[in-house]
Amino acid sequence: MKKDNAFLYPRYEEHATLFCDGISLHADGFRSGPDQLPLPSIYETGLCAIYHLLERMLPGLRGISVLGIWADDDAIPFCAWDLWLLTGEEDGFFLPMESAASLFSQNGIPYFHRPVQ
């Protein structure tokens, strides 16, 4: 059954997950499917850089997962919401908002939330 959540957010907007293991980037949650994703290369480069930086601090890191908004009618196609660090088979934790915002901004990925100053 195909989910229709048009009443929750506009049709052109999709809530997607990007998963990076330091080698590749996998996208999930797009109606058109991950093979049709026109994601600019800065996202793959940026997320791999974030992964490798975090991997040095957490040697058991298996991957990072980023939930965000994809809007195919925007100049900025993807804005991140959060950053989940997968540290075991199913274990992990969210990076604090301020840390995630800093990592995203240093690596060219727009961040949806703005931490309280």
Side-chain angles (χ1 to χ4, degrees):
M1 180 161 94
K2 185 174 167 112
K3 81 177 176 182
D4 183 11
N5 43 17
F7 67 96
L8 298 175
Y9 48 89
R11 271 238 182 261
Y12 64 84
E13 181 180 298
E14 298 181 66
H15 294 187
T17 303
L18 303 179
F19 180 80
C20 179
D21 61 3
I23 299 169
S24 63
L25 178 66
H26 175 75
D28 198 16
F30 293 91
R31 286 187 287 271
S32 59
D35 296 335
Q36 304 300 317
L37 178 66
L39 195 62
S41 63
I42 186 68
Y43 290 94
E44 185 168 2
T45 304
L47 288 176
C48 282
I50 291 170
Y51 172 84
H52 289 299
L53 177 67
L54 293 170
E55 183 184 37
R56 282 185 270 159
M57 293 186 263
L58 296 165
L61 187 65
R62 297 174 47 101
I64 59 174
S65 182
V66 178
L67 179 63
I69 295 176
W70 171 267
D72 57 8
D73 73 337
D74 259 347
I76 299 172
F78 184 81
C79 281
W81 277 352
D82 57 33
L83 182 57
W84 174 263
L85 281 61
L86 182 63
T87 56
E89 197 61 36
E90 292 190 23
D91 298 328
F93 60 94
F94 285 103
L95 206 58
M97 189 184 330
E98 194 171 318
S99 300
S102 177
L103 284 170
F104 288 138
S105 70
Q106 291 170 12
N107 289 283
I109 299 170
Y111 190 51
F112 188 75
H113 297 294
R114 298 188 191 279
V116 176
Q117 301 293 329

